[in-house]
Amino acid sequence: MSFTLAEKILREHIVKDACKNTEIPFDKPIKRGSDIAIRIDQTLTQDATGTMAYLQFETIGIPRVKTELSVSYIDHNTLQTDYRNMDDHRYLQSIAAKYGLYFSRPGNGICHQVHLERFGIPGKTLLGSDSHTPTGGGIGMIAIGAGGLDVAVAMGGGAFHLAMPKIFGVKLSGKLQKGVGAKDIILEVLRQESVKGGVGAIYEYFGEGISNLTVPQRATITNMGAELGATCSIFPSDETTKAFLEAMGRGSAWTEKKPDENAVYDKIIEIDLDKLSSLAACPHSPDAIKTIESLAGKKVEQVVIGSCTNSSLDDLTAVAAIVDGKHIAPGVEAGIAPGSRTTMLMAEKCGVLGKLIKAGFRILESACGPCIGMGFAPNSQGVTLRTFNRNFKGRSGTSDASVYLVSPETAACAAITGFITDPKTIDFTKPVKDGISMLSGNAAGLSCEDIKAIASDDGMIIPPLNSEDAAKIEIIRGPNIKPCPKSPACAPSLKIPVLLKAKDNVSTDDIMPAGTKVLPLRSNIPEISKFTLERLDTTFYERAIKCQEEQKNLPETEKGCIIVGGENYGQGSSREHAALAPMYLGVRCVLVKSFARIHKANLINYGIIPVTFKNSSDYDLINTGDILEIINIKEALETGSDFKIQVNGKEITGENTLDERSRKILISGGLAVYTRNGGQ
Ligand code: MIC
Ligand code: SF4
């Protein structure tokens, strides 16, 4: 039997005991959608999700992480306007020392970029408490984003459960033309597939076109596969991967990983790179794709190069080639945030950084920064071109700004002209000499020795302590770190009000915004809950508190509230605060047309019941303020039957899409209790 690469790696990691009820046939593909459990080799966390993940990990009560490697990164909350973010950094550093993790210090770079450079290994599994963890697919890993609690369980040696994804093939042919970047490939996939096209699927890239793509280019594509809603994306590990790992001083981590010949995909998308043109995701969705040609001439006020999608040396070099000897247009402010300290040092060594500074780029630190609204917000009603992956309304920090997601090449052209400009109309020399990564060659002007010397300097990564020294470490807990609230017990039935009715594609940024004001509260659920759903309804928090007060003396079955939503509810980030804060405010059930994968898992983990409309037209029968009665919660969770719901005198059906384990977790009152009680 021939298998795809993704299925091969998943099969190698199946934990048989944890998926007893699932058939894993040796001669045919695993049934799509069936519950599988996989062993996790590596984990990563970042500081904005990490504090909650480690607070949960501490309650599991094991002395040391059980993975092959776990890394705690500081990259999100680096704008320190008071004590709170640094308090969190110190907590995380002490946790890493105590429990056997690597600690990547602030300034070392964005978790996904650093992990690719320093730790990723082809064929391994990686689970990260960040939705862009699939970046690791650029070197042939099965790298999946998840909520912090799932990552805590994996660090404790538990398997990761997921529905066996469909595997979609993306066949690339030809070669990118001058001025067209890897970003344009993933924007083209988003154009074809939409932000919900990848839910329940893995995208596997193949075809002769991939040999022309460097590892950082591949990582741009697998990174932004998150915006498809996909479980992850993957490229084979080939000679290009080998060259990249060798350049990083990690050649021994390489093995070849490829699909079997004649592997069968659940569907195939074909992209001819010769014909691809420059694209942009227009406000306010990563799948609102238009050609740059059609947008050309639009005035631009801000340009930012960076984020985990496009901040490699390849990207910086492409920008430098375009802006070399020129100046940023007078009407534009431009910034650049190199993805890692390694990238920054290499850019400095080969002169790329100097060219950018000369052109007028403001050099931002190696961190997430403007991508998550941590500084560099655009002007009011501003047009900003960013090489990032998300452009949800308000995420930049300016609610009426228009954010266009573009390639570094397109961003660079706008920076010097002041208008959206098609790179093919600009005169510059394309820096890539051949198909092999610039990092292993010298197109950026670096010798292999230079690159190796810079890359292998892990001075900003603190390695794990031995068990004896680790045991002596005291955990540092500043006043900003508050315990994680407990999930409610499961009620047999519920008769509670609909507190909010939302539309399609509600993102976790809508449910729990980020940015300078809110991010420092990530370790303090009571405080952060005040911002719940404020982008959709500024009265939500007050109404939720009022509802809790009014229900104080009612029986448990009449306490709480419901959120109703449309398609793809909870798209975007892995932040479990988008489940935790609503849970804290009394949300007991979310009833929608469809869910995004990670958010649905987070709801289950925190004891909120995710239900989908059997008939999506029933959505129209419900309004904010209606009382909804779910008659058979206990029975539905025990047997898997559908949910019987009464509203406005009508009976509607809520589809029970929960696998057996998820139902058990909900009956237990959340994953933490389920795990403590010995559940797998
Ligand atoms: C994001 O890009 O939205 C984030 C911030 O990296 C999130 C994680 C978080 O909210 O902390 C993600 O992508 O998962
Ligand atoms: Fe950081 Fe932005 Fe990447 Fe999220 S998408 S990890 S905020 S750079």
Side-chain angles (χ1 to χ4, degrees):
M1 180 66 207
S2 304
F3 291 118
T4 61
L5 172 59
E7 177 142 3
K8 279 165 72 172
I9 302 177
L10 286 172
R11 293 176 83 92
E12 280 162 21
H13 286 81
I14 293 274
V15 181
K16 290 227 174 69
D17 283 354
C19 35
K20 282 192 268 272
N21 299 333
T22 308
E23 213 193 317
I24 316 283
F26 75 94
D27 58 345
K28 33 180 198 310
I30 303 169
K31 190 164 169 260
R32 304 323 191 203
S34 55
D35 177 33
I36 59 165
I38 56 169
R39 190 180 71 251
I40 295 300
D41 301 321
Q42 302 187 343
T43 63
L44 71 77
T45 56
Q46 39 88 341
D47 47 336
T49 55
T51 47
M52 279 299 142
Y54 295 109
L55 283 169
Q56 298 285 1
F57 180 76
E58 285 185 274
T59 67
I60 298 177
I62 60 159
R64 207 173 168 85
V65 291
K66 292 191 176 165
T67 48
E68 290 173 15
L69 171 122
S70 287
V71 192
S72 173
Y73 291 92
I74 308 288
D75 55 1
H76 281 63
N77 285 350
T78 56
L79 199 64
Q80 291 150 236
T81 51
D82 62 25
Y83 65 91
R84 289 173 298 185
N85 288 342
M86 189 159 167
D87 270 7
D88 287 2
H89 301 173
R90 282 162 61 77
Y91 167 71
L92 292 169
Q93 183 166 352
S94 64
I95 285 279
K98 185 152 194 79
Y99 292 106
L101 290 97
Y102 285 85
F103 181 71
S104 174
R105 299 169 67 182
N108 196 40
I110 305 174
C111 55
H112 309 303
Q113 173 91 11
V114 177
H115 206 87
L116 193 76
E117 291 170 357
R118 304 311 310 145
F119 296 112
I121 300 179
K124 296 276 182 189
T125 54
L126 166 69
L127 194 71
S129 65
D130 191 282
S131 65
H132 290 102
T133 303
T135 312
I139 52 167
M141 301 186 85
I142 287 286
I144 303 178
L149 190 45
D150 279 322
V151 177
V153 169
M155 287 189 290
F160 177 64
H161 289 251
L162 72 163
M164 177 65 197
K166 291 183 189 138
I167 300 176
F168 296 160
V170 187
K171 185 174 179 194
L172 302 181
S173 58
K175 207 169 173 176
L176 287 172
Q177 298 301 296
K178 189 174 151 191
V180 183
K183 181 64 152 282
D184 298 307
I185 302 177
I186 187 62
L187 291 177
E188 171 61 17
V189 181
L190 273 155
R191 189 186 67 77
Q192 294 190 26
E193 295 282 284
S194 89
V195 286
K196 59 180 184 353
V199 177
I202 293 178
Y203 288 80
E204 181 168 317
Y205 290 79
F206 70 102
E208 38 100 9
I210 61 173
S211 59
N212 297 318
L213 297 175
T214 67
V215 163
Q217 285 178 314
R218 295 173 185 188
T220 292
I221 296 167
T222 54
N223 170 286
M224 209 174 163
E227 274 50 71
L228 296 160
T231 305
C232 64
S233 304
I234 189 165
F235 275 82
S237 164
D238 56 10
E239 286 301 316
T240 305
T241 322
K242 188 178 180 190
F244 173 82
L245 287 170
E246 276 170 358
M248 293 289 113
R250 302 198 298 119
S252 61
W254 183 79
T255 47
E256 188 178 30
K257 297 284 168 201
K258 56 181 185 182
D260 291 332
E261 244 166 67
N262 307 320
V264 179
Y265 293 93
D266 291 301
K267 133 174 141 180
I268 291 184
I269 299 165
E270 296 194 32
I271 301 178
D272 181 352
L273 302 184
D274 287 325
K275 297 204 181 111
L276 192 67
S277 56
S278 302
L279 299 170
C282 302
H284 300 283
S285 180
D287 66 354
I289 308 294
K290 289 194 178 151
T291 61
I292 292 297
E293 203 170 5
S294 70
L295 297 166
K298 189 170 190 55
K299 201 165 175 322
V300 173
E301 280 107 17
Q302 194 199 55
V303 166
V304 201
I305 318 281
S307 90
C308 54
T309 315
N310 277 119
S311 56
S312 65
L313 184 64
D314 284 23
D315 294 326
L316 269 47
T317 309
V319 174
I322 293 169
V323 304
D324 191 14
K326 306 190 177 77
H327 281 113
I328 305 298
V332 176
E333 285 193 15
I336 194 150
S340 68
R341 167 176 167 269
T342 303
T343 303
M344 179 104 90
L345 287 168
M346 289 199 279
E348 188 268 327
K349 181 96 186 163
C350 66
V352 159
L353 195 62
K355 285 180 189 167
L356 298 173
I357 296 172
K358 270 198 193 136
F361 274 96
R362 287 161 61 182
I363 308 301
L364 310 176
E365 71 173 318
S366 272
C368 300
C371 176
I372 192 61
M374 289 299 246
F376 220 75
N379 54 311
S380 58
Q381 297 180 5
V383 171
T384 172
L385 260 60
R386 301 176 155 213
T387 64
F388 306 169
N389 48 40
R390 290 190 174 135
N391 58 350
F392 304 137
K393 200 167 173 6
R395 181 176 158 105
S396 65
T398 304
S399 57
D400 60 3
S402 295
V403 180
Y404 292 77
L405 307 173
V406 298
S407 69
E409 292 82 349
T410 301
C413 292
I416 52 170
T417 62
F419 299 93
I420 297 186
T421 306
D422 194 330
K424 73 173 181 257
T425 64
I426 298 276
D427 188 25
F428 71 100
T429 311
K430 194 179 170 191
V432 181
K433 276 193 181 160
D434 52 32
I436 303 295
S437 168
M438 276 190 251
L439 294 176
S440 64
N442 58 3
L446 284 177
S447 72
C448 292
E449 283 63 41
D450 286 341
I451 296 169
K452 248 189 222 162
I454 294 171
S456 326
D457 165 13
D458 281 332
M460 289 291 278
I461 297 175
I462 302 178
L465 292 177
N466 64 42
S467 303
E468 207 181 306
D469 291 340
K472 294 181 204 140
I473 298 288
E474 290 289 328
I475 302 298
I476 303 171
R477 264 174 249 276
N480 191 41
I481 301 195
K482 298 279 181 281
C484 184
K486 293 206 170 41
S487 310
C490 180
S493 65
L494 282 171
K495 190 175 179 186
I496 49 179
V498 173
L499 214 58
L500 184 81
K501 183 178 177 185
K503 298 209 171 78
D504 289 348
N505 292 320
V506 167
S507 72
T508 49
D509 280 87
D510 293 326
I511 305 171
M512 179 49 69
T516 46
K517 207 161 77 181
V518 186
L519 271 173
L521 302 169
R522 282 291 182 92
S523 319
N524 187 339
I525 301 302
E527 276 305 308
I528 206 171
S529 70
K530 294 180 179 159
F531 298 88
T532 309
L533 284 155
E534 70 159 23
R535 292 236 170 104
L536 303 185
D537 177 355
T538 47
T539 67
F540 186 85
Y541 174 74
E542 277 160 40
R543 291 192 299 113
I545 294 293
K546 191 161 164 244
C547 183
Q548 279 180 333
E549 269 161 25
E550 286 169 356
Q551 292 172 339
K552 232 187 313 195
N553 299 322
L554 295 179
E556 282 310 307
T557 52
E558 290 175 38
K559 276 187 183 157
C561 60
I562 291 184
I563 293 172
V564 170
E567 302 280 5
N568 201 24
Y569 183 84
Q571 69 162 328
S573 87
S574 71
R575 67 190 69 148
E576 50 195 352
H577 304 75
L580 255 168
M583 182 270 278
Y584 180 75
L585 294 180
V587 175
R588 310 295 300 274
C589 168
V590 178
L591 173 62
V592 298
K593 292 183 186 173
S594 67
F595 284 100
R597 175 186 65 87
I598 308 179
H599 186 60
K600 182 178 173 191
N602 285 339
L603 291 175
I604 296 167
N605 288 351
Y606 286 102
I608 300 177
I609 308 168
V611 183
T612 44
F613 289 102
K614 190 129 200 162
N615 288 320
S616 47
S617 59
D618 287 345
Y619 170 88
D620 300 326
L621 300 175
I622 306 176
N623 287 308
T624 304
D626 288 349
I627 300 292
L628 222 120
E629 190 170 358
I630 314 178
I631 302 163
N632 63 336
I633 295 181
K634 190 154 181 272
E635 181 208 335
L637 293 181
E638 275 169 4
T639 65
S641 65
D642 283 340
F643 295 91
K644 289 182 193 143
I645 303 172
Q646 283 183 352
V647 58
N648 295 328
K650 294 206 176 66
E651 181 147 326
I652 63 171
T653 306
E655 194 174 7
N656 189 341
T657 56
L658 302 161
D659 58 63
E660 197 185 335
R661 177 175 178 267
S662 301
R663 289 190 272 117
K664 283 187 182 158
I665 292 174
L666 285 166
I667 292 171
S668 309
L671 181 59
V673 182
Y674 175 78
T675 310
R676 271 198 294 280
N677 293 343
Q680 281 202 322

